[in-house]
Amino acid sequence: MSRGSAPERSGTTVPGEASSQASVDPAALMRIKSLKLRAKTVVEGFFAGLHRSPTHGSSIEFSEYRAYVPGDDLRNLDWKLYARSDRYFIKKFEDETNRRCYLIVDQSRSMNYGTTGYSKMEYARTVAATLAYFLTLQRDAVGVLTFDQELGDFVPAKLGPKQFHQILVELSRPAEGRGTDLEAPLRQIVSVVPRRGLMILMSDLLAPAETLQTQLSALRARGHEVVLLRIIDPAEIEFSLPDPAMIVDSETGRQIYVDPAVAKARYTERFNSHRREMEKTCEATGVGFYEMRTDQPLDRALSSLIDAKNRMGKSARRTNRGGAR
């Protein structure tokens, strides 16, 4: 249904597959009032799924080491660890252990929509809190930016539990929410986050695909790894309006009469066309794209994060090897 950079299958368990053994029903998760407890529940379930897997080699990415890959500098092998485990591990470069990650959360009006008992915004905030908790456990610096028509709150990336608490405070703030403008906030991010890092954008992406390409290209040109998590309500995919009705455009407040018998085919065509355009834009700019339905578990967000971190690690290793020549 969606497309992104596929996890590699080199004899190890794909994180998303391993975690499916302990996935948490999002409806049950959202009944937990504490955002912190939601995040811990998802992450602990994810780790439990990895540990239950018979081949959980991917979990080595969570430690201070990673599995040896052909082409790595043999001088970085940890021979003492090899003697204990009979497996080859490489000590991580500094660039791999001190990453900076920014969670960029859409708080526009359209994110207040939801047919599952909770909104897309609540789901996106829970995803952001989950990723922040996971990154904190991994001793990565993490920060948060919010936006609607422009950049809102900005918490610079830092390490530690206190930073995680500050992020939870920011994510819990009531959002007024205006229309969506992805271009302006991304343009601002390029200037306020000068150092290379990982950018994870959580949005329903209700904007023209062509407006994204320039700004995504600018982020990539600065050396940032970028991932888009499209947060979507199932009713937006299936167009489940049963009878003709007046509906309200959540972005503009304009009322529109909709007859589903007439509108469904055109809506489905335009929705799928927009999705394809987003995928092509991400593919052209080297950006990961993942679609997350709000009625599905949040494990996919953690899988996409690990995917992106692994790509950053490979890029850092290539840079280090190139510099050594």
Side-chain angles (χ1 to χ4, degrees), residues 251-319:
E251 296 272 306
T252 65
R254 187 165 62 97
Q255 288 192 329
I256 308 168
Y257 176 78
V258 176
D259 182 349
V262 176
K264 184 172 183 178
R266 184 164 180 249
Y267 172 87
T268 301
E269 180 184 354
R270 293 186 66 183
F271 180 90
N272 290 332
S273 175
H274 180 262
R275 175 194 277 159
R276 288 191 297 270
E277 288 173 5
M278 286 292 181
E279 290 174 344
K280 288 178 181 177
T281 295
C282 290
E283 186 176 353
T285 53
V287 169
F289 179 86
Y290 303 85
E291 192 167 274
M292 299 188 64
R293 287 173 47 137
T294 59
D295 61 345
Q296 295 179 345
L298 282 70
D299 305 73
R300 186 170 176 81
L302 287 170
S303 297
S304 65
L305 170 62
I306 294 170
D307 239 9
K309 288 182 70 176
N310 289 345
R311 287 197 301 272
M312 286 185 73
K314 289 177 183 178
S315 175
R317 293 196 292 277
R318 286 195 298 269
T319 301

Side-chain angles (χ1 to χ4, degrees), residues 47 58-67 81 89-90 92 96-97 99 138-139 309:
F47 277 118
S58 292
S59 64
I60 195 64
E61 297 292 349
F62 305 148
S63 73
E64 293 302 317
Y65 298 86
R66 60 173 176 77
L81 191 56
F89 294 111
I90 294 286
K92 287 186 176 181
E96 293 178 79
T97 55
R99 298 186 181 98
Q138 301 310 308
R139 296 184 293 280
K309 288 182 70 176

Side-chain angles (χ1 to χ4, degrees), residues 239-248 256-264:
F239 194 82
S240 55
L241 187 69
D243 302 303
M246 294 294 295
I247 63 172
V248 178
I256 308 168
Y257 176 78
V258 176
D259 182 349
V262 176
K264 184 172 183 178

Side-chain angles (χ1 to χ4, degrees), residues 33-53:
K33 291 185 178 180
S34 167
L35 195 55
K36 180 179 181 179
L37 186 53
R38 288 183 203 167
K40 291 182 69 175
T41 299
V42 176
V43 172
E44 288 169 4
F46 184 79
F47 277 118
L50 284 173
H51 292 155
R52 288 176 191 153
S53 170

Side-chain angles (χ1 to χ4, degrees), residues 60-133:
I60 195 64
E61 297 292 349
F62 305 148
S63 73
E64 293 302 317
Y65 298 86
R66 60 173 176 77
Y68 169 78
V69 176
D72 283 330
D73 190 338
L74 295 178
R75 290 174 297 180
N76 293 312
L77 279 172
D78 190 310
W79 294 106
K80 291 182 180 179
L81 191 56
Y82 169 74
R84 294 197 302 269
S85 66
D86 199 32
R87 295 179 64 190
Y88 294 109
F89 294 111
I90 294 286
K91 292 179 181 179
K92 287 186 176 181
F93 294 108
E94 182 180 354
D95 228 16
E96 293 178 79
T97 55
N98 294 312
R99 298 186 181 98
R100 290 167 296 278
C101 178
Y102 279 94
L103 308 173
I104 307 165
V105 185
D106 185 350
Q107 294 193 340
S108 60
R109 284 197 192 107
S110 65
M111 292 292 286
N112 285 316
Y113 179 74
T115 62
T116 54
Y118 46 88
S119 67
K120 291 184 288 184
M121 187 180 296
E122 194 62 27
Y123 188 89
R125 286 174 168 175
T126 304
V127 169
T130 298
L131 298 181
Y133 180 63

